[in-house]
Amino acid sequence: MDLISALESLEPELEAGLAQASSLEKLEELRIEFLGRKGRLAKLMSQLPSLDPAERPKFGQRANELKESCNARFDKVKDSLLAARERASLARFDSSTPGRKYWQGSLHPDTLIMEEICAIFEKLGFDIAQGPEVEIDHYNFEALNMPPEHPARDMQDTLYITDNILLRTHTSPVQVRTMLARKPPLAVVVPGKVYRRDSDLTHTHMFHQVEGLLVDKNISMAHLRGILTVFVRDVFGPSTEVRFRQSFFPFTEPSAEVDISCFLCGGVGHIDNEPCRVCKGTGWVEVLGCGMVDPAVFEAVNYPKDVSGFAFGLGVERIAMLKYGIGDLRMFFENDLRFLQQF
Ligand code: DAH
C-alpha cells in the first residue's frame, strides 16, 4: 500500500476502534496506538522523506488535517465516557447512608481555660496584654524589686540563656512592660507560658500563668478582694468563699495567698466522714498569689507617687486541675489524645 492510501485508511480504522472503546483506559490505549509519539500516524509521517518531493506538501497537509480531526473524535468520546461514569457513580450514591464522621481538632485545655479566665476579666473591664517568653533579667527580677543576690530569686529555679537573658519564670515582667508602655489608669490580664528548672508530679519545665494588674488612684485591698471574689465564683461556682492569707512577694506589699472554700466538700473538710481529697480535710484550697503593688515597682517604671494598684498571678494548670479533678500536671503536656479529647 502506498503512503497516501495508508494515511487515508487510518481514519476508518480509528472510527471502528472508537466505536468499541468501552472505557477510558481502552480509549487511552487507542489514542497511544494511533496518535502517540510512536503511534501509527507518527510512523507514516516519518516516511515523508521517501515521497516524491512534489507530493510531500499534500501529504503533510493531509496528515495534519487527519491529526486534528482524530484528536477531536477522541475528545468527544472521552467526554461521553466521563459523563457515563459520573451517571453511574450517582446511581450508586445512597443518600440515606449515614455520613462519615470527620476527626475534628480542638483547642488545648490550657488554651480553653486561659480563654475562659481572660473572658471573665474582660467582662470586668481588663485588657489582655502579652510579653515575650525570653526576657531580660531587669524585667523578670530587678524592676520587680528583686535586685541581683536578692534571696527571693531562689524561689524560682531559673533557666538562664546568658547572665542577663532568661526564660521568664513568671508573667509578672509584663506588669513592668505594660506600665512602661502605658500611663495609669490601667487594668490588664496577661496569659502566657512561663519556664522553670524543675520537674516532678506537680512541676513541669513549662507551665502557664495569668497575671493581673490594676493601677489607678485610691485602689485598696478591698478592690482586689472584690475582683478576685467575682472571678473565683465565676470559675468555681457562686457559693465559693474567699480567704486571704498573709504571704510575701517582693513586688507586692502587703502580699496574700488566696484560698477558696473547697468546691468538692463545700468547705466542711469531709465527705461521708472521710477527709475530703481535694482540700485534704482543711476546707480550703490555695488558688493564687496577690497583693498591693509595691511602691518600689512603681518607682522602677517612673509612675507618679499618687497611684496605687493591685496585682495577682495564678497558675492556669492548677486552676484546671482543681476544677476538673486532674491528678497529674504532666498530662497536660504529654499529648495523649485520650486526655485531650475530654475537653
Ligand atoms: N509571680 C508570682 C509567681 O510566679 C505570682 C504572683 C504573686 C504574681 C503575687 C503577682 C502577685 O502579680 O501579686 O510565683
Side-chain angles (χ1 to χ4, degrees):
M1 196 172 6
D2 66 42
L3 218 46
I4 299 275
S5 337
L7 190 65
E8 291 304 343
S9 73
L10 273 187
E11 206 168 12
E13 277 186 50
L14 174 64
E15 201 68 55
L18 285 176
Q20 305 263 309
S22 54
S23 70
L24 286 162
E25 293 72 30
K26 290 250 163 57
L27 184 71
E28 181 60 10
E29 279 170 23
L30 205 60
R31 197 189 60 75
I32 291 169
E33 180 190 338
F34 280 86
L35 298 173
R37 256 188 330 122
K38 292 182 182 159
R40 292 173 59 179
L41 183 62
K43 276 210 181 99
L44 290 177
M45 285 179 86
S46 70
Q47 291 176 44
L48 186 88
S50 70
L51 278 182
D52 187 76
E55 289 189 57
R56 288 181 200 168
K58 207 173 121 220
F59 177 83
Q61 193 190 355
R62 183 66 191 127
N64 279 330
E65 278 170 18
L66 214 60
K67 192 172 175 183
E68 266 179 39
S69 76
C70 290
N71 269 326
R73 278 165 208 265
F74 269 109
D75 287 346
K76 214 169 134 197
V77 177
K78 188 172 179 181
D79 284 349
S80 69
L81 284 173
L82 280 172
R85 191 164 78 173
E86 175 83 10
R87 275 196 306 277
S89 83
L90 278 178
R92 276 198 309 274
F93 179 72
D94 177 359
S95 61
S96 65
T97 340
R100 221 176 287 158
K101 191 164 185 257
Y102 283 93
W103 189 77
Q104 257 191 327
S106 62
L107 294 175
H108 189 276
D110 266 320
T111 310
L112 290 171
I113 291 148
M114 280 197 290
E115 282 183 356
E116 184 184 330
I117 293 171
C118 289
I120 297 170
F121 286 105
E122 278 185 294
K123 266 192 306 198
L124 295 169
F126 284 70
D127 300 327
I128 308 283
Q130 279 184 311
E133 289 165 25
V134 180
E135 189 52 284
I136 55 171
D137 184 281
H138 181 76
Y139 292 150
N140 196 81
F141 289 128
E142 188 137 14
L144 290 166
N145 202 24
M146 280 181 274
E149 316 302 332
H150 193 290
R153 289 192 178 208
D154 292 348
M155 291 197 303
Q156 305 187 351
D157 293 325
T158 312
L159 292 159
Y160 284 93
I161 292 169
T162 67
D163 284 351
N164 190 33
I165 300 174
L166 44 89
L167 295 181
R168 67 178 180 192
T169 56
H170 50 179
T171 41
S172 307
V174 188
Q175 286 191 29
V176 180
R177 288 177 171 274
T178 304
M179 288 192 279
L180 287 173
R182 290 174 58 171
K183 287 193 163 56
L186 59 83
V188 292
V189 277
V190 183
K193 289 186 165 66
V194 301
Y195 301 84
R196 293 192 195 175
R197 213 193 112 267
D198 49 11
S199 164
D200 59 38
L201 254 178
T202 50
H203 297 89
T204 45
H205 297 305
M206 186 277 299
F207 58 103
H208 297 79
Q209 290 187 333
V210 174
E211 188 82 12
L213 172 70
L214 181 145
V215 185
D216 202 339
K217 288 187 178 154
N218 301 318
I219 296 301
S220 76
M221 232 161 166
H223 298 111
L224 171 58
R225 191 178 174 112
I227 291 282
L228 291 179
T229 303
V230 171
F231 166 67
V232 298
R233 289 191 176 162
D234 207 324
V235 176
F236 293 102
S239 54
T240 312
E241 293 299 333
V242 173
R243 173 172 89 169
F244 277 37
R245 251 181 315 113
Q246 79 238 32
S247 183
F248 171 79
F249 299 103
F251 35 90
T252 44
E253 181 61 36
S255 306
E257 303 277 356
V258 173
D259 297 339
I260 57 168
S261 55
C262 180
F263 46 87
L264 193 66
C265 63
V268 291
H270 51 82
I271 300 173
D272 298 337
N273 289 328
E274 291 287 320
C276 171
R277 62 179 166 79
V278 168
C279 64
K280 311 271 180 317
T282 64
W284 297 94
V285 273
E286 185 184 320
V287 286
L288 55 89
C290 64
M292 302 307 294
V293 178
D294 194 297
V297 178
F298 285 143
E299 203 173 305
V301 297
N302 283 322
Y303 261 20
K305 290 240 173 322
D306 60 348
V307 294
S308 52
F310 63 71
F312 56 87
L314 57 89
V316 173
E317 288 83 3
R318 178 162 175 75
I319 300 279
M321 287 170 81
L322 287 172
K323 185 165 170 166
Y324 300 110
I326 301 164
D328 185 343
L329 171 64
R330 291 171 296 194
M331 286 167 103
F332 283 89
F333 310 118
E334 282 170 348
N335 288 335
D336 187 331
L337 290 179
R338 289 169 300 180
F339 174 73
L340 296 176
Q341 281 172 340
Q342 293 182 44
F343 291 88

